[in-house]
Amino acid sequence: MRFIRPVWLTHSGEKKDFEVYSCHVSPDGSRLVTAAGDGYVRVWSTEAAFKAADPSFNGPRQLASMSYHSGTIHTVRFSGNGRYLASGADDKIVCVYTLDPHPPTHNTAFGTDEPPPVETWKIHRRLIGHDNDVQDLGWSHDSSILVSVGLDSKVVVWSGYTFEKLKTISGHQSLVKGITFDPANKYFATASDDRTVKLWRFTSPGPNSTAYDQMSNFVLEKSIENPFKHSPLTTYFRRCSWSPDGNHIAAANAVNGPVSSVAIVNRGIWDGDIHLIGHEGPVEVCAFSPRLFSKARPSNQSVDGKGQNLSSLVTVIACAGQDKALSIWITSNPRPLVITQELAVKSLSDLAWTPDGLNLFITSLDGSIICVSFEPGELGYEVSQEETEKTLERFGTGRRGAGIIEGTDGLLLEEKSREDELRGAEGRMGALMGDAPPSQSVTVNGHDNPAPTSAPAINGFTPSLDAKLPQINGDGPDAASQANGQGSEDPNKEKLEKLKSRVTITKDGKKRIAPLLLSSSGGHESSLPRAQLMSASSNIQGGKDDSPQTILDLSKPYDGLPKGGLNSLLLGNKRKWAKAEGVEEDGIEKQISLASKDGAVPIVANTSEGLVPARSGSSSAGQQPTPDFIRPAVLNPSLTVSQVRLAVPKLRRHIAQTMGKPTGSAAPEDSTRGQDHSLTANGRQVQPELMIEVRNPSQLPTSGRSSDQEPCKITVSRRGQPLWQDFLPRSTLLVTGNEMFWAAACEDGSIYAWTPAGRRLVNALILESQPVKVDCMNSWLLCVTAVGMCYVWDMKTLESPHPPVSLAPLLDIAIYSLQDHVTAGPAVTAARLSSEGRIVVRLSNGDGFAYSPTMYIWQRISEVWWAVGSQYWNSGAASVGDLRSSSGARDASTVSAGIIPFLEGGTRTESMVRGKAVLLQRLVKQLLSREGYEGFESTVSIAHLENRMAATLTLGSKDEFRVYLYMYAKRIGNEGLKSKVEELLQGLLGCNGEEDEIEATRNSAGKRKAEDRTWDNGSDYLCGWARKELQKGVLSILGKNRDLHRITVPYAKLLLGVPEEQEDEMMVS
């Protein structure tokens, strides 16, 4: 151990040396950066510092100096990737610098003693977000975020890619003076004069993350108070440090009774019971060595069967503070390795280790910069960086290397994969900016439309690996255009020349050439984004980002509308107040401001004269309108003994059900049930395409017998003209219908059905209780009764795919029946049919179910657990279309492809709006901090994708299956789950290559054969897709992961083929 104090290593001034407040070493160990009170950030050569006593060394000493701050600079930090350098000062600004690869082109400014620069560090960003001095900075280990803390008690998080402010955290009650990051990239800790160290949990944001995306990120995990309750408030810094193995935090300025100490906080339990006592004054800075050490030599270390080092690993920590002493500790020794007194004249301000852990730089407020160099083996024997990474794997760290190329085949596969991804990104950007041809189409819900140039992009890339464009008659696109006589001449060229030379005369008589806007100089199309293409790319082609999203913070509701509601969002708040007679000019505005003084939001009416306060309507006198319903329905006695009791709808006087688009207008978003059948469009009344009307008798029979009442009248009309009518002896509760049949459910539990022309389709179907829900899809009819029985019939063949199914397993009957009294269980909020006649049910507790007629069992598709635990919640729902609860015409494939968004949308509504997942989310947050749950988020997210794939495969949702399959492949590839990757590729292989080819036929009703609904089905198709097409898409995703090339390359050679000439070229290159 030796001390090096170069004379030239200082921030010198005319009369004295300036105080040095901070220092840091670059990740490659070649540069030392310091910050001082002279307002300069100086970059030094570490080699020159180590060889300061060598007179033969003539290399550069100071590499660069920057002065972009207007005050004292308190902190400087290199990013983990070495690309950026950040500094914070008392001018409230954070500056970010980048190294210019070109040599400097200027010399030292005239009149200064600065040496000529060797490197050029340019200012990249100036970050403004603090209201007071910036005291400390910290980069995450993957350089995805930069965090600054200051004397304004704020913690500001900046994006490490765009340097946009992602979040401002105001969790501390006093000055914040220190920050450190977890090497596993899960937490960061901040130390403040409020005598606490707070831990914040975060998920690394992506390159395109915004402040809105990160609202629920960076949440408080733990506030540690005990070791700092009586700590002094006289320190300038509270710089803490995290150990390289992720197990401990060293927090400065702690106390153990009356003695100053350094508190060691253990990960997981987050206590501070361990203290390092050896300083007479408060400790201001702690710094762990970035390397782990071992007591034994590497050759003598014991290794287990898996190659793991079994010898005890130790960490080294250095501490310094106001007593001007430096102490160095090793975790294997209860006493310090060395304590050096009076190392400087004033307090020591910062410590910085070199990446090899053998050199330590120290800065002091007296202006001195000291280097402490250790001999190899003096602190222990260094452990390899791979061994350090292994110790972090138990905390869920995702830092992995770039991998090693296994061969030319892997490099070819990786190159093809990158080309496909780039082509997909360029195609989406061209479509958004108006460069794509307007005739380009995509496949929507199983209906193929011509797409002459490329296949539809799913999740940001094109699955096909074929990069060639289609040729016409053996020629390329240019030859085809020339054959049609179009040529390459622009037809608007002459028009543009006239526009460029257009002369205008101003008011003073001078001639001027009118400027030509760039947007008007386009050829055939506008350069503005097209709304249709944007909608198609986001809803159909999977333009939405499939990266994991942050978990929703359900405990903090968010109101995204501005003051004034939706009208203010659309129209703004710039409307003037209307003038009222007898009121001052600003009298109405004063009334509104007075009403909103206590926080109330006044209601105003937007009239043609302006904004006026809303008036309370006078109560109507005289005869009141008849309510929509007549009376409650007569209940069946079976409800008194049934464990399942669903609410029966009330008997209404008039029921109207529409189907198809109204004449002269677009179809409404939802049909009118029980309301007036007339629709309005542009102020005029329009008629729906088809409508069924039910008029129930309004009076009870005088005899008291239901058979003596007036009949119920049913009328079906087209565009207002009656088609047919019928009369039923009993009152009707519900109706439904489509282009294949009409159905009505009566109060006594009977169901009647008619053909589109009005012929009775079947005898009355008798149920055990009143119907509470009816729905239809194609030829299928669903009916749910009051005792929880679900019936499904095929009205075309007059058959049922399965016996009646009870809802009792879904309503937690086993739980509620054990109680002493009748208790309300979950309610059925929606019941639908898929295009194949599958029952889909949504409950009020957020769960969504579908019935499997082949397995005769209910399957849970969606639940609140995924909403609070999965990173993929809300992802992919908009890429396959939405399921609308409209009773009008619905396309079969649209409903089938929207079942999972329909069920997860109900889960989202129940969990967020009604707050039913708050307790579960708190439990999940507690689990994340426990030992053994480090991979919880990743495991649950992968399980969520597997659940989605299984559901789409069972339901036959073709488009959704491919979207979720590609998302799953991308995630397990990034996680490096080799066993699951190999299993997925083997499952997609199927019978590919055999002589037998099984056709995936489909009938007119949209049904698919059951052969392609399982992974091992012996067919060349899987969920309606050719297996080879799915294999190409998955290999295109996995091809970028070099760690998986040993698995993916054999499948790529088998399915895609690697041309020999390309392989030879790759070998030569």
Side-chain angles (χ1 to χ4, degrees):
M1 175 180 177
R2 59 193 180 96
F3 290 86
I4 305 173
R5 191 192 296 247
V7 179
W8 48 265
L9 189 57
T10 181
H11 287 247
S12 58
E14 296 180 358
K15 297 182 179 180
K16 65 170 185 176
D17 293 339
F18 289 95
E19 301 89 348
V20 183
Y21 291 95
S22 182
C23 65
H24 200 235
V25 181
S26 62
D28 59 359
S30 62
R31 301 177 182 88
L32 168 70
V33 60
T34 58
D38 59 351
Y40 276 87
V41 174
R42 301 184 186 273
V43 183
W44 312 87
S45 171
T46 55
E47 182 184 6
F50 299 150
K51 298 181 179 180
D54 186 2
S56 62
F57 179 77
N58 56 359
R61 298 174 177 176
Q62 180 174 306
L63 303 180
S65 64
M66 297 84 75
S67 178
Y68 293 98
H69 289 281
S70 60
T72 300
I73 304 176
H74 293 150
T75 175
V76 284
R77 295 291 183 262
F78 281 103
S79 62
N81 54 17
R83 182 178 180 183
Y84 299 108
L85 170 65
S87 63
D90 60 5
D91 58 359
K92 314 173 189 177
I93 295 176
V94 176
C95 291
V96 181
Y97 315 90
T98 57
L99 178 62
D100 190 351
H102 303 288
T105 57
H106 62 281
N107 295 324
T108 307
F110 180 76
T112 63
D113 296 333
E114 293 288 334
V118 180
E119 299 176 344
T120 302
W121 287 83
K122 292 184 177 180
I123 186 74
H124 182 67
R125 289 287 189 276
R126 292 170 60 89
L127 311 181
I128 301 175
H130 284 276
D131 300 328
N132 210 327
D133 299 4
V134 179
Q135 285 294 102
D136 205 1
L137 296 170
W139 293 86
S140 62
H141 282 259
D142 60 355
S143 302
S144 61
I145 59 173
L146 168 67
V147 178
S148 59
V149 299
L151 302 185
D152 54 358
S153 306
K154 293 181 181 179
V155 178
V156 183
V157 184
W158 312 88
S159 170
Y161 306 98
T162 62
F163 295 99
E164 174 190 357
K165 181 164 59 175
L166 299 180
K167 194 169 186 179
T168 299
I169 306 173
S170 301
H172 285 284
Q173 305 300 321
S174 187
L175 319 178
V176 188
K177 297 181 177 180
I179 180 175
T180 183
F181 267 88
D182 174 19
N185 232 41
K186 299 293 182 182
Y187 305 95
F188 65 85
T190 55
S192 170
D193 273 355
D194 60 3
R195 294 187 170 99
T196 63
V197 170
K198 296 186 183 296
L199 286 161
W200 310 90
R201 184 177 184 86
F202 74 97
T203 302
S204 297
N208 299 323
S209 298
T210 61
Y212 181 80
D213 302 333
Q214 304 300 315
M215 284 190 305
S216 58
N217 202 358
F218 312 106
V219 294
L220 179 63
E221 181 73 18
K222 181 72 174 179
S223 181
I224 306 171
E225 302 177 359
N226 288 334
F228 317 101
K229 285 185 177 180
H230 304 287
S231 62
L233 304 179
T234 58
T235 57
Y236 204 73
F237 299 106
R238 289 176 180 258
R239 286 171 169 159
C240 42
S241 179
W242 212 303
S243 63
D245 58 358
N247 284 324
H248 308 289
I249 304 174
N253 200 10
V255 291
N256 186 7
V259 182
S260 298
S261 66
V262 176
I264 304 298
V265 180
N266 295 313
R267 188 190 188 102
I269 57 177
W270 309 118
D271 61 352
D273 298 337
I274 303 177
H275 291 265
L276 303 181
I277 299 176
H279 287 265
E280 298 178 357
V283 178
E284 296 196 14
V285 55
C286 305
F288 271 103
S289 172
R291 300 297 294 270
L292 293 175
F293 294 88
S294 176
K295 296 181 180 179
R297 291 182 179 274
S299 58
N300 298 331
Q301 292 179 358
S302 57
V303 179
D304 62 2
K306 298 182 180 180
Q308 298 286 343
N309 182 15
L310 298 180
S311 62
S312 59
L313 301 179
V314 297
T315 57
V316 179
I317 181 176
C319 307
Q322 292 184 357
D323 59 352
K324 297 165 286 186
L326 171 69
S327 63
I328 298 177
W329 306 71
I330 298 180
T331 53
S332 61
N333 193 344
R335 296 182 179 274
L337 178 67
V338 62
I339 295 181
T340 304
Q341 300 286 348
E342 301 297 331
L343 193 60
V345 179
K346 295 183 179 180
S347 301
L348 304 182
S349 56
D350 204 359
L351 302 172
W353 290 89
T354 54
D356 57 4
L358 296 178
N359 300 279
L360 175 66
F361 286 94
I362 310 166
T363 60
S364 173
L365 297 184
D366 63 357
S368 59
I369 303 173
I370 307 169
C371 176
V372 181
S373 181
F374 298 91
E375 298 296 332
E378 190 173 357
L379 299 176
Y381 298 96
E382 296 182 36
V383 176
S384 63
Q385 192 65 28
E386 291 77 10
E387 191 73 21
T388 305
E389 294 291 338
K390 290 180 181 179
T391 62
L392 294 174
E393 288 181 358
R394 54 178 172 167
F395 301 124
T397 178
R399 294 184 294 156
R400 292 186 296 272
I404 302 175
I405 294 294
E406 297 288 345
T408 57
D409 295 338
L411 194 59
L412 285 174
L413 177 61
E414 182 178 351
E415 184 178 353
K416 285 186 178 181
S417 179
R418 295 184 184 278
E419 290 177 358
D420 291 337
E421 184 175 3
L422 180 61
R423 189 186 311 115
E426 291 176 349
R428 290 197 312 276
M429 182 57 67
L432 291 176
M433 299 308 296
D435 296 335
S439 60
Q440 187 176 3
S441 59
V442 295
T443 301
V444 181
N445 295 326
H447 299 284
D448 295 333
N449 294 325
T453 56
S454 63
I458 301 295
N459 287 340
F461 50 84
T462 305
S464 175
L465 294 178
D466 190 2
K468 297 181 179 179
L469 295 175
Q471 296 182 355
I472 302 175
N473 297 328
D475 299 327
D478 297 337
S481 60
Q482 294 176 3
N484 294 333
Q486 295 177 358
S488 60
E489 185 177 357
D490 190 358
N492 296 327
K493 184 176 181 181
E494 183 178 355
K495 180 180 177 180
L496 291 176
E497 292 297 332
K498 292 182 179 180
L499 290 175
K500 291 179 181 179
S501 59
R502 184 174 59 183
V503 179
T504 58
I505 301 176
T506 60
K507 294 181 179 181
D508 53 359
K510 296 181 179 180
K511 294 183 179 181
R512 293 289 185 269
I513 297 178
L516 176 63
L517 297 178
L518 292 177
S519 60
S520 64
S521 62
H524 300 279
E525 302 179 12
S526 172
S527 61
L528 296 177
R530 293 183 291 177
Q532 294 180 353
L533 288 176
M534 292 172 65
S535 176
S537 62
S538 61
N539 294 337
I540 304 297
Q541 297 182 351
K544 184 176 179 181
D545 187 14
D546 63 347
S547 58
Q549 299 183 357
T550 57
I551 298 177
L552 298 175
D553 189 2
L554 305 180
S555 59
K556 298 179 181 179
Y558 173 72
D559 186 6
L561 295 178
K563 184 178 180 181
L566 187 60
N567 290 335
S568 300
L569 180 64
L570 299 177
L571 305 176
N573 293 317
K574 296 185 178 181
R575 289 222 62 187
K576 296 182 179 180
W577 301 98
K579 296 182 180 180
E581 296 181 0
V583 183
E584 300 178 3
E585 182 176 355
D586 57 346
I588 296 180
E589 188 174 357
K590 291 181 179 179
Q591 294 178 11
I592 296 298
S593 61
L594 183 63
S596 59
K597 182 177 180 181
D598 297 330
V601 179
I603 302 176
V604 296
N606 190 11
T607 64
S608 58
E609 302 294 334
L611 299 177
V612 296
R615 300 178 181 178
S616 59
S618 59
S619 58
S620 57
Q623 185 179 2
Q624 299 296 324
T626 304
D628 294 336
F629 64 92
I630 303 173
R631 57 177 172 80
V634 178
L635 300 182
N636 194 296
S638 62
L639 287 177
T640 59
V641 296
S642 175
Q643 290 183 334
V644 180
R645 307 179 189 180
L646 303 181
V648 179
K650 295 181 179 180
L651 185 64
R652 291 173 287 179
R653 181 188 305 275
H654 179 221
I655 305 175
Q657 181 88 15
T658 60
M659 186 184 72
K661 296 183 179 180
T663 305
S665 66
E669 288 293 331
D670 197 2
S671 60
T672 57
R673 298 174 183 250
Q675 300 178 0
D676 188 7
H677 62 272
S678 61
L679 303 172
T680 59
N682 300 327
R684 61 185 180 88
Q685 193 175 35
V686 295
Q687 298 294 338
E689 181 71 17
L690 281 175
M691 179 189 301
I692 181 171
E693 289 185 85
V694 177
R695 295 193 180 273
N696 289 315
S698 58
Q699 296 180 356
L700 291 174
T702 56
S703 62
R705 297 189 298 269
S706 59
S707 58
D708 297 337
Q709 70 177 5
E710 297 179 6
C712 169
K713 182 180 179 181
I714 296 181
T715 305
V716 175
S717 59
R718 181 190 298 273
R719 301 178 183 176
Q721 298 297 325
L723 294 180
W724 58 269
Q725 67 177 7
D726 200 349
F727 296 91
L728 298 179
R730 296 164 182 83
S731 300
T732 301
L733 293 177
L734 303 167
V735 292
T736 186
N738 55 22
E739 66 277 0
M740 302 185 69
F741 67 92
W742 297 98
C746 296
E747 184 182 13
D748 64 342
S750 59
I751 293 182
Y752 296 84
W754 298 267
T755 62
R759 175 174 57 88
R760 290 288 182 103
L761 190 59
V762 69
N763 300 104
L765 307 177
I766 306 303
L767 305 175
E768 74 281 353
S769 61
Q770 284 76 15
V772 298
K773 177 67 179 177
V774 291
D775 191 34
C776 63
M777 174 57 59
N778 295 336
S779 62
W780 301 99
L781 174 63
L782 166 68
C783 179
V784 182
T785 64
V787 295
M789 298 300 294
C790 298
Y791 294 83
V792 178
W793 304 285
D794 189 343
M795 303 308 292
K796 186 176 181 180
T797 61
L798 299 183
E799 295 177 350
S800 178
H802 53 76
V805 184
S806 176
L807 291 176
L810 312 185
L811 303 177
D812 298 336
I813 295 301
I815 298 177
Y816 291 96
S817 61
L818 297 177
Q819 302 180 8
D820 297 335
H821 304 284
V822 178
T823 307
V828 179
T829 58
R832 295 286 186 269
L833 276 173
S834 71
S835 59
E836 298 181 347
R838 305 288 181 91
I839 308 175
V840 180
V841 177
R842 203 167 68 184
L843 303 184
S844 59
N845 60 2
D847 291 351
F849 301 87
Y851 186 77
S852 173
T854 57
M855 302 180 67
Y856 298 104
I857 197 68
W858 287 102
Q859 296 180 348
R860 183 182 287 109
I861 306 298
S862 177
E863 55 183 321
V864 181
W865 172 255
W866 305 124
V868 299
S870 173
Q871 296 173 327
Y872 287 93
W873 187 252
N874 289 336
S875 65
S879 60
V880 291
D882 298 325
L883 176 69
R884 302 184 182 275
S885 59
S886 173
S887 58
R890 293 175 293 185
D891 182 69
S893 59
T894 303
V895 177
S896 178
I899 290 177
I900 292 183
F902 168 69
L903 294 178
E904 291 191 350
T907 304
R908 187 185 315 112
T909 302
E910 298 296 336
S911 60
M912 293 183 60
V913 177
R914 304 190 182 184
K916 294 186 177 181
V918 177
L919 296 179
L920 183 58
Q921 188 187 38
R922 292 177 182 173
L923 175 62
V924 170
K925 288 183 177 180
Q926 293 176 0
L927 289 177
L928 293 176
S929 62
R930 295 183 184 177
E931 214 50 54
Y933 290 87
E934 293 79 10
F936 175 81
E937 293 177 354
S938 177
T939 303
V940 174
S941 300
I942 294 176
H944 184 208
L945 292 178
E946 294 170 348
N947 183 77
R948 281 179 168 179
M949 284 197 304
T952 53
L953 196 60
T954 302
L955 296 170
S957 301
K958 177 181 177 182
D959 295 306
E960 281 183 298
F961 175 74
R962 186 169 68 168
V963 171
Y964 299 143
L965 174 66
Y966 290 163
M967 294 171 65
Y968 176 72
K970 185 175 183 180
R971 182 57 185 262
I972 62 177
N974 293 337
E975 293 287 342
L977 304 178
K978 297 183 179 180
S979 59
K980 288 193 175 184
V981 169
E982 187 172 6
E983 184 182 48
L984 177 63
L985 293 175
Q986 184 65 32
L988 290 175
L989 187 62
C991 66
N992 195 18
E994 297 183 0
E995 297 180 358
D996 299 335
E997 294 185 358
I998 305 174
E999 297 182 357
T1001 59
R1002 299 166 178 79
N1003 56 23
S1004 58
K1007 303 178 187 177
R1008 302 186 182 97
K1009 278 189 173 183
E1011 289 100 7
D1012 64 346
R1013 298 298 176 81
T1014 58
W1015 292 92
D1016 301 326
N1017 53 37
S1019 169
D1020 287 339
Y1021 292 86
L1022 184 63
C1023 198
W1025 294 99
R1027 286 179 178 269
K1028 191 171 183 180
E1029 182 179 353
L1030 296 178
Q1031 292 160 5
K1032 286 183 179 181
V1034 171
L1035 287 172
S1036 176
I1037 299 171
L1038 299 175
K1040 295 183 291 293
N1041 297 305
R1042 295 182 178 178
D1043 297 336
L1044 304 176
H1045 279 181
R1046 291 186 178 180
I1047 301 175
T1048 56
V1049 168
Y1051 288 93
K1053 295 175 67 175
L1054 176 63
L1055 301 172
L1056 309 176
V1058 181
E1060 295 182 359
E1061 51 271 12
Q1062 291 188 11
E1063 185 173 358
D1064 295 339
E1065 293 177 2
M1066 186 60 64
M1067 291 290 292
V1068 173
S1069 61

